[in-house]
Amino acid sequence: MIEVRDKEVLLSTKSTSYLLSYSKANYLTCEYYGSRLSSFEEAKPLVSDLIINQGTELNIDDKNLNLSLNQMKLELSTLGRGDFFSPSLIIKNSRSMIFDFKVDKVEVVKPIIHNILPMPRDPSEELVICLADNDMHVVVELHYILYSESDIICRYIKVINQDSQPLHILKAMSMQLGLVNHNSTLVSYYGNWANELNVQQTKITHGRIVNESLTGSSSNRHNPFFIVKEDNCNAINGNCYGYNLIYSSNFEESVEMDSFSKIRVQVGINSTLFDKSLLQGESFVTPCALLSYSSNGYNKLSKEFQTFINNHIVKKKFNFESRPIAYNSWESCYYKYNKRKIKSLIRKASKLKMELFVLDDGWFANRNDDAHGLGDWEVNRRKLPGGLKSLANYAIKKKMKFGIWMEPEMVNENSRLYKNHPTWIIQDGIHTPIKGRNQYVLDLTKKEVQDFVFDSVSKVIESADISYVKWDYNRNISDMPNSGTFFYDYICGLYSVLNRIVDKYPYILFENCASGGNRFDLGMLSFFQQSWISDNTDSFKRGEIQKGARLGYPLSVMSNHVSGKTSNQLLRYTSLDSKFNVACFGILGYELNLCDLKPVDIKCIKKQILFYKKHRDVFQLGVSSFIGRDDNSYSIQAQHNGKIIAAKYYTHTIPNPKEYHLRLLDTEKNCDYSFYSRIQNRDFARFGSLINMVSPIHIKEDGALIHFISNRFTMDGEYIHGIISGKILENSGIALPMLWSGTGISNSMSIIHDFDSRLYVFEKC
Ligand code: GLA
């Protein structure tokens, strides 16, 4: 709801309110952002009218000696008029670099949709506040968009040059927000390849903390999602604010505390090297920033972002559609395969009731390593006689869909494309362009390159019965030409190609990938329904990465695979069930070598797939929350339509572990829940020489006999079940089976090895 009255505007979402004011000399400020207010009057005690300039502050208004911009919670700030925070807008023309913006017009409009940059779909209301500097003939529109049933506000700005002199935009943040300082902490991500989305907490102290990317993508180093939380805020209690940017290139987000301990938050395009020039009549629209507030801790905030992404970012056709269980050839084959091998993998995957076969890298040109073939998107007939068509038909005959990997934005030097079009790569024309993973990035700012990418993807999609495309992007950008908007133009070029492709092929399921999570953001998710968030499929590390991702993104956009027991990334050995219990929270897939499976593994995977299919709605559409940490474990849950699935992930085992209880969050207090544990296999070989305590003959710990037995036979692990009321489940939780303690064994005991885990299902009766 948007209410406008004299010099004030109140934006109200489901449970938050945002109060704007321009009562102080027409400068636009945010006087309050927090729990929902019932009226303007309720805001009165929250707003301090008194401003007395402190120390060396400057007065902006002669009539009001107490008015300093530095003291105000400005929604837009510039340089040179007494505000000494880092400005949210830096612009200049040949006449001046000082701009002084005041409110000129306030309008509630029918929501406006631009089509250069992605925007959330299905808005309900929009407020536009025009700020003008009439001496400089520049107008800045501040847009605030609301969505029914959501606590997210979307913001962007539009800069319009009405002056005859060209205007240079050097920095244009999509949003700025002043916060009352209650001792706060910034929660943001850091990472790198196979190690994405680590959550870090930084105490906000005096100075400016910047969360940004300069790689040409949103990057695996940081991510545009972040939280500012008050220090006493935890998963379920306390105040916090979440932010994200719908943009896939260099972003810049800062939290600044000035020497008066006031806090300002900014979110937008990275200003490093940014210089956009506007002629008279031209305008520039920034990407959309999202913000939300929760008074109930960061789980509630995550829930808002997760729900919003499903309802307003992911394309409507796919947002609630169940996603297939994939088999992906990468970790089992890399580049080394032929038609026979792929067909036998299709047969095995189909027998295990997987639903989509994805042929990863290696199927085109002379692509037998990463130094060849990118750009030449024609099937390698020596490897795959019959082409993609015959493989796709074979998969379909075996009741699976068929999908393909592509990396359309790239080219290898060893390719026909590079030989024919060496000028299509990103280069400055002076330095020898540098390579990453033996490849160059095609310059998508050029229309002919955009057309080439569009045509090559179209040809591949149309060459066979393809229903899925994994779109990869495996290096960062370097050697940019001398342009103040190169990164912005690149991503607009990409968005324009993606728009054309998803419009032409609305039925294709696209998976976004960039060496895993090097471009995992809301811009890409506006086109591609799901993302491969990391190349790391080790169960423990992957669990941490998914835990980080869930803070700001829903399960429906994360695809996760069960890979071989020994992790290719870390060489850590964990069971297939450990891997499944992590991978199932999101879109499940497999990429281990199905031809090498032992009989017990086949049984185990069959059980996993049955379980996943039964609960797919919760795993893919559930709202997921972090429950808590306990000694050597942590637990999470996903909840959908009255069903909750919880996971308990152990790290290392400890002697004489204590009694564990599993408590859930957000249960329906007046309902009963029936619950049960997922039964997992016990592997005889992992009892070591202790097996001799029960064996009539001596069995060597690592001998052929124990391997013979453990490859073929297994024993069901513990099973618990029962009924419990929602209230008790939340307050006290269910008692979990006793963990292995080294002094005895029983069937109802949990035999936990390092990095093992368990799943529990709770259904409303
Ligand atoms: C990237 C992806 C992997 C795989 C390879 C293929 O690294 O993240 O999943 O597709 O490329 O080259």
Side-chain angles (χ1 to χ4, degrees), residues 325-343:
I325 302 175
Y327 178 79
N328 177 296
S329 64
W330 182 239
E331 282 200 17
S332 66
C333 301
Y334 292 111
Y335 304 99
K336 242 174 146 180
Y337 55 77
N338 55 26
K339 184 173 175 182
R340 226 186 53 232
K341 185 160 179 189
I342 296 301
K343 281 178 87 173

Side-chain angles (χ1 to χ4, degrees), residues 477-675:
I477 291 179
S478 62
D479 301 291
M480 308 75 73
N482 182 2
S483 150
T485 53
F486 180 79
F487 289 110
Y488 170 81
D489 292 340
Y490 180 90
I491 218 66
C492 290
L494 174 66
Y495 288 156
S496 145
V497 174
L498 299 187
N499 250 326
R500 287 163 71 190
I501 291 178
V502 299
D503 264 11
K504 187 166 174 201
Y505 305 105
Y507 56 88
I508 296 272
L509 178 62
F510 284 97
E511 181 156 318
N512 169 46
C513 176
S515 305
N518 200 21
R519 201 167 58 185
F520 174 54
D521 57 67
L522 298 182
M524 294 311 289
L525 289 173
S526 303
F527 300 96
F528 295 164
Q529 305 80 355
Q530 55 191 57
S531 254
W532 179 238
I533 59 168
S534 177
D535 274 355
N536 201 328
T537 51
D538 165 70
S539 59
F540 173 65
K541 183 62 208 175
R542 182 63 173 224
E544 292 286 313
I545 293 170
Q546 290 173 209
K547 176 154 62 71
R550 283 191 297 262
L551 262 188
Y553 300 89
L555 296 173
S556 67
V557 303
M558 293 173 214
S559 102
N560 314 309
H561 294 173
V562 174
S563 57
K565 290 174 203 163
T566 303
S567 154
N568 287 8
Q569 295 74 40
L570 300 179
L571 298 182
R572 180 166 24 229
Y573 181 94
T574 55
S575 70
L576 287 183
D577 274 336
S578 295
K579 295 212 157 186
F580 170 78
N581 290 349
V582 170
C584 63
F585 283 89
I587 302 150
L588 177 68
Y590 288 80
E591 61 178 278
L592 72 176
N593 194 339
L594 302 179
C595 302
D596 292 349
L597 292 180
K598 302 184 283 187
V600 285
D601 294 337
I602 293 175
K603 260 194 232 150
C604 168
I605 293 178
K606 276 188 177 157
K607 270 167 57 181
Q608 293 176 350
I609 288 180
L610 268 179
F611 184 81
Y612 185 81
K613 286 183 176 170
K614 184 163 176 209
H615 303 295
R616 186 181 341 225
D617 55 341
V618 184
F619 287 130
Q620 294 188 351
L621 297 174
V623 168
S624 85
S625 317
F626 179 70
I627 303 177
R629 206 171 264 291
D630 205 345
D631 298 349
N632 62 339
S633 68
Y634 66 91
S635 32
I636 61 148
Q637 68 175 51
Q639 161 147 230
H640 183 67
N641 281 347
K643 202 197 289 181
I644 303 178
I645 299 187
K648 189 151 182 77
Y649 298 118
Y650 296 89
T651 50
H652 56 291
T653 53
I654 50 176
N656 307 315
K658 70 180 189 195
E659 178 183 327
Y660 283 112
H661 276 238
L662 177 67
R663 284 190 255 215
L664 299 194
L665 304 172
D666 276 338
T667 58
E668 286 183 42
K669 310 286 172 304
N670 299 325
C671 290
D672 283 343
Y673 287 80
S674 68
F675 67 89

Side-chain angles (χ1 to χ4, degrees), residues 193 328 330 335 360-362 367 370 405 407 437 470 472-474 513-517 532 534-535 591:
W193 175 74
N328 177 296
W330 182 239
Y335 304 99
D360 209 282
D361 200 352
R367 183 79 171 164
D370 63 19
W405 177 95
E407 196 179 357
R437 211 194 188 210
K470 175 175 172 188
D472 215 335
Y473 170 88
N474 279 321
C513 176
S515 305
W532 179 238
S534 177
D535 274 355
E591 61 178 278

Side-chain angles (χ1 to χ4, degrees), residues 318-422:
F318 284 93
N319 64 342
F320 295 118
E321 182 147 307
S322 79
R323 314 282 172 80
I325 302 175
Y327 178 79
N328 177 296
S329 64
W330 182 239
E331 282 200 17
S332 66
C333 301
Y334 292 111
Y335 304 99
K336 242 174 146 180
Y337 55 77
N338 55 26
K339 184 173 175 182
R340 226 186 53 232
K341 185 160 179 189
I342 296 301
K343 281 178 87 173
S344 78
L345 284 170
I346 293 177
R347 272 194 308 279
K348 306 262 177 204
S350 153
K351 274 206 177 128
L352 289 165
K353 300 271 185 294
M354 295 176 194
E355 299 159 326
L356 164 71
F357 187 91
V358 180
L359 187 61
D360 209 282
D361 200 352
W363 58 268
F364 53 93
N366 54 345
R367 183 79 171 164
N368 295 315
D369 56 36
D370 63 19
H372 295 83
L374 283 178
D376 299 344
W377 298 106
E378 272 156 32
V379 75
N380 179 334
R381 299 248 162 205
R382 250 174 299 142
K383 265 186 183 177
L384 304 173
L388 298 180
K389 200 178 195 127
S390 83
L391 284 182
N393 290 347
Y394 188 69
I396 289 161
K397 200 168 117 204
K398 296 283 166 201
K399 305 213 164 23
M400 294 182 83
K401 292 179 173 172
F402 185 75
I404 196 79
W405 177 95
M406 290 189 80
E407 196 179 357
E409 296 159 75
M410 302 286 167
V411 62
N412 282 123
E413 194 171 15
N414 295 309
S415 68
R416 230 181 326 112
L417 179 69
Y418 183 77
K419 279 188 192 83
N420 294 340
H421 299 285

Side-chain angles (χ1 to χ4, degrees), residues 565 575-577 598-607 678-687 691 705-718 747 751 753 758:
K565 290 174 203 163
S575 70
L576 287 183
D577 274 336
K598 302 184 283 187
V600 285
D601 294 337
I602 293 175
K603 260 194 232 150
C604 168
I605 293 178
K606 276 188 177 157
K607 270 167 57 181
R678 183 173 98 79
I679 302 176
Q680 297 180 195
N681 295 342
R682 283 181 182 169
D683 180 354
F684 294 115
R686 298 199 73 187
F687 283 96
I691 198 84
L705 181 57
I706 190 65
H707 287 299
F708 178 85
I709 299 170
S710 99
N711 288 350
R712 283 162 188 79
F713 307 103
T714 166
M715 198 176 127
D716 276 354
E718 79 283 1
N747 278 346
I751 313 286
H753 305 277
R758 293 291 186 268

Side-chain angles (χ1 to χ4, degrees), residues 662-764:
L662 177 67
R663 284 190 255 215
L664 299 194
L665 304 172
D666 276 338
T667 58
E668 286 183 42
K669 310 286 172 304
N670 299 325
C671 290
D672 283 343
Y673 287 80
S674 68
F675 67 89
Y676 60 92
S677 57
R678 183 173 98 79
I679 302 176
Q680 297 180 195
N681 295 342
R682 283 181 182 169
D683 180 354
F684 294 115
R686 298 199 73 187
F687 283 96
S689 62
L690 277 180
I691 198 84
N692 289 307
M693 302 289 282
V694 292
S695 168
I697 54 160
H698 182 74
I699 298 181
K700 278 198 210 155
E701 178 176 355
D702 218 11
L705 181 57
I706 190 65
H707 287 299
F708 178 85
I709 299 170
S710 99
N711 288 350
R712 283 162 188 79
F713 307 103
T714 166
M715 198 176 127
D716 276 354
E718 79 283 1
Y719 176 66
I720 56 167
H721 62 107
I723 292 188
I724 184 168
S725 82
K727 187 170 134 201
I728 306 296
L729 183 54
E730 193 161 324
N731 294 344
S732 305
I734 56 164
L736 297 183
M738 186 182 178
L739 298 184
W740 168 262
S741 303
T743 48
I745 186 163
S746 120
N747 278 346
S748 50
M749 170 176 268
S750 258
I751 313 286
I752 295 288
H753 305 277
D754 283 354
F755 308 110
D756 270 359
S757 49
R758 293 291 186 268
L759 297 186
Y760 302 92
V761 180
F762 299 82
E763 280 168 293
K764 235 167 57 183

